Amino acid sequence: MLLYKASNYYVIVSFTLSIKKIEVRLKDHYACKILECNQDTVLFIPPKAETIQQMLASGKIQDCTNQNSKI
């Protein structure tokens, strides 16, 4: 899964895992506010800054924010 930071929210992109499962995990485990969920992306707002660090520490998410990629 790839993680991007937009101006006021974050985006997770996944082409292999079910977006619905990712959405449920973000809501139930991390208490994130889901802004939008579509075919291969989830837009969300984490409840606190440490949430993103916890997600990255799991090793399942790659932070692509600083790689000259645009959403």
Side-chain angles (χ1 to χ4, degrees):
M1 293 182 288
L2 307 175
L3 176 73
Y4 296 92
K5 179 164 182 5
S7 57
N8 296 325
Y9 57 89
Y10 287 86
V11 179
I12 287 184
V13 179
S14 176
F15 300 107
T16 57
L17 294 176
S18 165
I19 288 298
K20 211 58 170 152
K21 287 183 181 179
I22 295 169
E23 176 188 18
V24 169
R25 179 79 172 168
L26 287 171
K27 284 194 309 192
D28 294 347
H29 184 73
Y30 294 107
C32 295
K33 178 181 177 183
I34 305 299
L35 301 176
E36 185 178 326
C37 183
N38 61 38
Q39 188 174 1
D40 55 7
T41 62
V42 179
L43 283 64
F44 68 97
I45 298 173
K48 52 189 173 185
E50 297 84 29
T51 303
I52 297 301
Q53 294 306 319
Q54 290 173 346
M55 294 168 76
L56 294 172
S58 75
K60 297 178 183 175
I61 297 176
Q62 177 184 355
D63 189 357
C64 297
T65 300
N66 296 324
Q67 294 183 356
N68 296 330
S69 299
K70 301 208 178 205
I71 300 172

